[in-house]
């Protein structure tokens, strides 16, 4: 609810306390959504994102639940159902534990698939229950260029992200009759904490292969998510939209 008392449609962004998720949450705040900023461990960062949204005239609140836990997801959506109309779900939460397959432990594979893929299936299921009642909504999966082109040392991560593409297309067909759209945004190399750890030499090696010649920003991704969240994209569903500077075409 806004400070004036006007009820706003709800947008839930998972993994929204930093990086791309934080950028998306702030963008949705400018579009008039009451943004639920999901986090699992860093409440302070989630509160900072909420503060930035409200300072810009938006409305937001933190929401803690672990996307790797079905029970916590179900409980969170029970809470959402009492707050108002959920119009947007952004499945952004994810982890990356890189390594060659010969050294990969099953626990790593399970953890990566559970957090990056299975969680999105469960949150989408719960969101669909709420959106079907209203016969409207937008589900947006944040995937990766790696899910399209592959990358050595990221077998588990790439498999999970590619799985999100299949989820997106299949769910789009299932929910279209209820006016619920499902799309995916596949970022390339984006300036986040993860890329911030790269050396200048590593960054140059990456940007040399990007036709537009630079890394992207969380805002670049957020703009597309914002578009997919509003009526301007009412006739778009089942699509994978790349935000990668031309790295994969």
């Amino acid at each position: 609810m806004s400070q004036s008392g006007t009820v706003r449609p709800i947008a839930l962004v998972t993994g929204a306390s930093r990086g791309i998720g934080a950028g998306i949450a702030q963008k949705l705040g400018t579009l008039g959504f009451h943004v639920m900023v999901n986090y699992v461990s860093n409440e302070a960062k989630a509160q900072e994102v909420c503060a930035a949204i409200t300072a810009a005239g938006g409305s937001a609140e933190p929401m803690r639940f672990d996307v790797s836990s079905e029970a916590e997801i179900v409980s969170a959506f029970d809470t959402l159902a009492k707050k108002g109309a959920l119009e947007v779900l952004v499945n952004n939460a994810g982890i990356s534990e890189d390594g060659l397959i010969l050294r990969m432990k099953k626990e790593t594979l399970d953890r990566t698939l559970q957090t990056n893929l299975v969680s999105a299936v469960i949150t989408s299921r719960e969101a669909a229950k709420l959106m079907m009642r209203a016969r409207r909504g937008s589900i947006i999966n944040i995937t990766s260029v790696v899910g399209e082109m592959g990358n050595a040392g990221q077998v588990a991560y790439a498999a999970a992200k590619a799985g999100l593409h299949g989820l997106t297309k299949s769910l789009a067909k299932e929910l279209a009759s209820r006016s619920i759209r499902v799309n995916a945004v596949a970022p390339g190399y984006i300036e986040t904490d993860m890329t911030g750890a790269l050396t200048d030499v590593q960054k140059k090696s990456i940007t040399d292969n990007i036709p537009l010649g630079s890394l992207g920003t969380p805002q670049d991704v957020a703009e597309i998510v914002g578009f997919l969240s509003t009526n301007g994209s009412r006739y778009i569903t089942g699509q994978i939209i790349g935000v990668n500077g031309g790295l994969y075409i």
Side-chain angles (χ1 to χ4, degrees):
M1 183 175 292
S2 67
Q3 293 178 346
S4 64
T6 302
V7 176
R8 304 188 187 209
I10 293 172
L12 168 63
V13 184
T14 65
S17 64
R18 60 190 179 93
I20 291 174
I24 291 170
Q26 291 179 54
K27 177 63 181 180
L28 294 178
T30 69
L31 295 176
F33 293 99
H34 178 68
V35 186
M36 306 301 295
V37 178
N38 165 250
Y39 72 99
V40 67
S41 60
N42 199 332
E43 182 179 4
K45 284 292 184 182
Q47 291 284 8
E48 286 179 14
V49 174
C50 291
I53 292 171
T54 55
S59 174
E61 63 181 287
M63 188 176 206
R64 190 207 170 279
F65 65 89
D66 186 347
V67 297
S68 68
S69 166
E70 180 179 11
E72 291 191 25
I73 290 173
V74 171
S75 176
F77 275 84
D78 285 345
T79 298
L80 278 178
K82 301 170 186 175
K83 287 183 174 291
L86 176 68
E87 289 199 6
V88 176
L89 166 65
V90 182
N91 286 313
N92 169 76
I95 60 172
S96 178
E97 297 185 51
D98 300 343
L100 298 175
I101 193 168
L102 294 179
R103 298 173 182 168
M104 182 179 296
K105 296 180 179 179
K106 186 175 182 298
E107 307 90 82
T108 300
L109 176 62
D110 289 345
R111 188 163 51 247
T112 301
L113 293 177
Q114 183 70 36
T115 304
N116 294 11
L117 177 57
V118 177
S119 70
V121 177
I122 303 302
T123 55
S124 295
R125 181 191 71 192
E126 296 304 306
K129 293 176 184 178
L130 302 182
M131 292 176 176
M132 287 175 74
R133 298 173 194 167
R135 299 188 71 88
R136 64 179 296 172
S138 178
I139 296 174
I140 303 159
N141 297 315
I142 305 303
T143 67
S144 170
V145 68
V146 172
E148 299 177 292
M149 61 184 282
N151 196 31
Q154 291 192 300
V155 168
Y157 181 77
K161 294 299 186 179
L164 285 175
H165 294 168
L167 167 65
T168 298
K169 292 177 180 292
S170 297
L171 197 56
K173 292 185 176 182
E174 280 194 30
L175 300 180
S177 65
R178 300 299 182 95
S179 299
I180 300 168
R181 298 176 297 105
V182 186
N183 292 286
V185 178
Y189 288 98
I190 305 298
E191 292 177 353
T192 63
D193 292 345
M194 292 175 65
T195 55
L198 298 174
T199 66
D200 289 341
V201 172
Q202 289 172 321
K203 287 184 180 180
K204 184 177 186 307
S205 176
I206 291 170
T207 55
D208 282 348
N209 291 307
I210 299 174
L212 288 182
S214 67
L215 302 183
T217 68
Q219 288 69 38
D220 293 324
V221 181
E223 288 294 330
I224 300 300
V225 173
F227 170 66
L228 293 173
S229 300
T230 60
N231 286 335
S233 59
R234 59 168 291 278
Y235 202 56
I236 300 174
T237 195
Q239 302 303 303
I240 313 298
I241 301 176
V243 183
N244 58 50
L247 177 63
Y248 181 81
I249 296 175

